Amino acid sequence: MKKPSWHELRSSREVAAVCALAFVAACTGALGDTTDGAGSSSGGEGDETPTGSDPPAFQPAAGMLRRLTKTQFRNAVRDVFGVEVDTHELDDDSWNGNFATIGAATVVTSERGVEQYHTAIESAVDAVFADSARRDRFIGCTPSGAENDACVRGFLQALGLRAWRRPLEAAELDRLAAVATKAAAELESPVEGARWATVALFTSPNFLYRPELGAPSADGSLRLTGYEMASRLAFLVWNSLPDQELLDQAASGELGTVDGIRAAATRLLDAPAGREAVGAFAEEYMRLDRISTQAKDSKLFPEYSPALQAAMVRDMRGTWEVLAFDDRASALDLFSTTKAVVNSDLAELYGLDTAGLGSGAFEVRSLPADGPRIGILSKAGFLSQFANQKEGSPTLRGKFMRDALMCTPIPPPPGDVALELPEPPADKPLTKRQRLEIHRTEPACAGCHGYMDPLGLPLETFDAIGRFRTTDHGLPIDPSGEFDGQPVADARALGMTLSADASVAECLVRKYYTYAAGHEERKVDKRVLNALTAAFEGSGYELRELVLDVVTNDAFSSVAPQP
């Protein structure tokens, strides 16, 4: 039987398309106040409460509709259909506040994006329905094609609960059942009816968007409903759909108490998918999506392949996950660990023994205890991002550290400033440090570069793809620098200094909170952040405990009315 086209059944499907920072002029003073009391921040990391005054009372952020990120969409489709989606074929995420989870509340889905989502869903459904045994297990009964077919209605009701993360309303179930009936009649196949109803279910905005709008509680405040909380927990911890147990807990009211939320979140963390709670955060926090976009000179770096890039992502994510779940170590150990998750390609880049490894075989290995490479900042997944096609960039590396690790973002350069460092004459080579020193003689450049370059220069012993080196243009590299006024001798000393700095842990709390809450930091979040930071310190900076503290805080379950 000929498969019906999009145009032939378009009327039977639910189709929908839903559609900088303010800084001081130079980097020589404190960042300006860019946040109003309870509104969204356009750069709240610079906000400070005056000494001697109490932070303002917490106020929840407005409820939102959030589109699934590309990773969440991929994971959800995989968990339901057992099919992998190529996320490169989907509409891009929005990275407001440097997190896709924040941008999910404002991203606009293009018409082309709608088609891409439909194509991905149809492909996944086709893969299941093409195999009769797999299809029969998926449906769980035999459709008759009759109006009000009990088999199809029961199938859609159960599948819809998971897909939409809430029970279907009677009218919604009727519409989907009508799709199945119409398709079954037109195509003379009850199975085709079930197939097209499944496509309609997963191409609906109710699957693609997560509502976090809340409902009035006993005291009149808006709180996430049980099903909204189940969805929010699942997408934070598993980066995917809630399972039946979590949905049952939503229905029973268990997710309306702190103890119930903690118990549910602990179960999610203990499951294999629970590693996503840290791995997915690491991927967004470290912007690992950018690795595949960083082209390199193929003559200088012939080994820089898509496979090596994928290994870099795996190494970074895996190291976060190993420390958080296997070792239950302090988050500050991320900057001094010698652990790496490598395959043969990455092990060779790191100078490790490749015995027992292959391109698809990853293992946790230890870097030399006295070697120059320690912590996540010496990983190729970090170093290759902040580099051009031929060499690393101390400025970009330092800028990321200033923003992501110290919560003090650097304003963009003035529009009339040349961003490219001039190349030295061939007969008078200069190191990158020497070229930057010349660049900083320009008054317009000196202030900002003074904040960034000393942080990035210790990483000059790593090239544009993260290989260790000792010379730059034939000249010895001076890897000295400083972190927050403390001199550091090299990359190793930088990692050890970061691993002993509590302010880095405090910044990490702020970043994870904004990632989990789905909005940028505001002044009215200060009390929540203070409590989370104190609890994080008390736990020995365990990332698992930070996740639990965030989800059980009232800020995670409360919302304000939409404006």
Side-chain angles (χ1 to χ4, degrees):
M1 180 183 298
K2 174 181 176 290
K3 175 186 170 184
S5 70
W6 156 259
H7 299 286
E8 289 170 337
L9 279 182
R10 188 165 190 158
S11 62
S12 299
R13 307 162 74 179
E14 293 188 26
V15 184
V18 181
C19 300
L21 298 175
F23 291 102
V24 289
C27 294
T28 54
L31 296 177
D33 181 359
T34 62
T35 312
D36 60 19
S40 296
S41 166
S42 58
E45 288 88 344
D47 298 331
E48 296 293 341
T49 301
T51 303
S53 65
D54 291 329
F58 171 75
Q59 296 179 38
M64 293 288 183
L65 284 173
R66 303 184 188 280
R67 195 183 77 181
L68 301 187
T69 66
K70 294 203 293 186
T71 301
Q72 289 169 349
F73 180 88
R74 180 198 66 199
N75 291 352
V77 171
R78 177 202 62 208
D79 291 348
V80 172
F81 300 105
V83 174
E84 289 293 336
V85 172
D86 182 356
T87 57
H88 295 98
E89 299 297 323
L90 299 176
D91 238 11
D92 286 336
D93 292 323
S94 174
W95 287 86
N96 292 359
N98 284 321
F99 285 108
T101 55
I102 296 177
T106 58
V107 66
V108 175
T109 306
S110 68
E111 290 187 12
R112 174 60 179 155
V114 173
E115 295 284 351
Q116 290 170 332
Y117 284 118
H118 275 282
T119 299
I121 291 299
E122 286 184 32
S123 297
V125 174
D126 286 350
V128 173
F129 277 72
D131 181 328
S132 59
R134 185 177 177 187
R135 176 198 66 212
D136 291 346
R137 289 193 302 270
F138 184 74
I139 298 175
C141 57
T142 303
S144 69
E147 189 173 355
N148 294 321
D149 182 352
C151 167
V152 167
R153 291 180 71 87
F155 162 67
L156 291 173
Q157 194 166 38
L159 187 60
L161 172 62
R162 190 164 189 216
W164 293 4
R165 288 83 70 184
R166 61 168 176 80
L168 302 186
E169 297 176 3
E172 293 169 334
L173 181 57
D174 288 343
R175 286 196 297 269
L176 288 165
V179 170
T181 301
K182 180 178 180 180
E186 292 182 357
L187 302 171
E188 300 178 350
S189 169
V191 167
E192 284 297 297
R195 180 165 77 88
W196 283 112
T198 302
V199 171
L201 185 66
F202 282 89
T203 53
S204 166
N206 290 292
F207 170 70
L208 189 58
Y209 287 84
R210 297 193 293 121
E212 295 177 351
L213 305 177
S217 61
D219 63 4
S221 62
L222 284 180
R223 313 282 295 186
L224 296 182
T225 68
Y227 288 108
E228 288 174 336
M229 175 58 79
S231 180
R232 193 170 210 189
L233 278 176
F235 278 106
L236 176 65
V237 181
W238 284 353
N239 221 20
S240 188
L241 300 168
D243 64 359
Q244 188 61 51
E245 184 173 348
L246 191 58
L247 292 168
D248 289 343
Q249 291 171 326
S252 70
E254 292 178 57
L255 301 183
T257 68
V258 170
D259 289 343
I261 294 170
R262 179 174 287 273
T266 300
R267 180 182 70 86
L268 299 181
L269 284 168
D270 288 342
R275 298 171 83 90
E276 283 280 324
V278 169
F281 167 68
E283 188 162 343
E284 290 200 18
Y285 177 54
M286 304 299 294
R287 288 303 307 268
L288 303 184
D289 62 295
R290 294 187 294 207
I291 292 176
S292 63
T293 69
Q294 303 302 308
K296 306 298 178 187
D297 188 313
S298 59
K299 293 181 180 179
L300 294 175
F301 309 107
E303 68 271 57
Y304 191 71
S305 64
L308 180 61
Q309 295 165 30
M312 292 176 179
V313 175
R314 177 81 174 266
D315 174 36
M316 184 69 81
R317 280 191 57 137
T319 300
W320 280 74
E321 292 168 358
V322 165
L323 292 183
F325 290 91
D326 300 336
D327 298 348
R328 299 291 292 267
S330 164
L332 290 174
D333 288 356
L334 287 163
F335 303 101
S336 58
T337 184
T338 58
K339 290 189 175 180
V341 180
V342 297
N343 63 355
S344 56
D345 300 328
L346 198 56
E348 185 174 351
L349 180 69
Y350 287 169
L352 298 175
D353 184 2
T354 61
L357 295 174
S359 294
F362 285 81
E363 289 184 7
V364 179
R365 295 281 180 92
S366 292
L367 300 165
D370 58 351
R373 190 188 302 273
I374 63 169
I376 57 175
L377 297 184
S378 70
K379 289 186 176 295
F382 170 75
L383 297 163
S384 64
Q385 282 189 68
F386 302 104
N388 59 35
Q389 295 189 21
K390 295 184 177 182
E391 57 188 4
S393 171
T395 300
L396 292 179
R397 291 168 179 174
K399 184 178 186 299
F400 177 87
M401 285 187 271
R402 178 68 64 176
D403 182 4
L405 306 182
M406 304 171 74
C407 287
T408 53
I410 301 294
D416 58 349
V417 171
L419 301 181
E420 298 293 329
L421 294 180
E423 291 288 340
D427 60 339
K428 294 182 179 179
L430 297 174
T431 65
K432 179 62 74 70
R433 174 187 288 273
Q434 291 169 329
R435 293 160 64 196
L436 284 170
E437 286 173 349
I438 295 172
H439 189 62
R440 286 199 299 272
T441 61
E442 295 289 336
C445 304
C448 290
H449 277 272
Y451 279 94
M452 298 181 290
D453 295 353
L455 285 168
L457 283 167
L459 301 173
E460 267 294 273
T461 47
F462 301 102
D463 66 16
I465 66 169
R467 287 186 311 204
F468 180 70
R469 62 180 189 163
T470 57
T471 62
D472 178 10
H473 289 84
L475 302 173
I477 292 173
D478 173 7
S480 62
E482 65 176 52
F483 171 78
D484 206 17
Q486 302 178 62
V488 293
D490 50 26
R492 183 179 183 82
L494 175 65
M496 297 303 296
T497 300
L498 285 165
S499 70
D501 196 302
S503 69
V504 174
E506 179 186 3
C507 181
L508 182 61
V509 171
R510 295 167 67 178
K511 296 294 184 180
Y512 189 80
Y513 173 75
T514 60
Y515 166 83
H519 61 74
E520 294 186 67
E521 184 182 331
R522 309 161 303 151
K523 285 181 179 179
V524 294
D525 293 315
K526 186 65 175 177
R527 292 189 185 213
V528 174
L529 290 168
N530 287 346
L532 292 173
T533 300
F536 193 41
E537 181 180 6
S539 75
Y541 302 120
E542 279 199 37
L543 284 166
R544 269 183 55 112
E545 291 304 311
L546 176 60
V547 175
L548 292 172
D549 288 336
V550 167
V551 301
T552 53
N553 192 287
D554 280 349
F556 189 75
S557 57
S558 60
V559 295
Q562 286 189 303

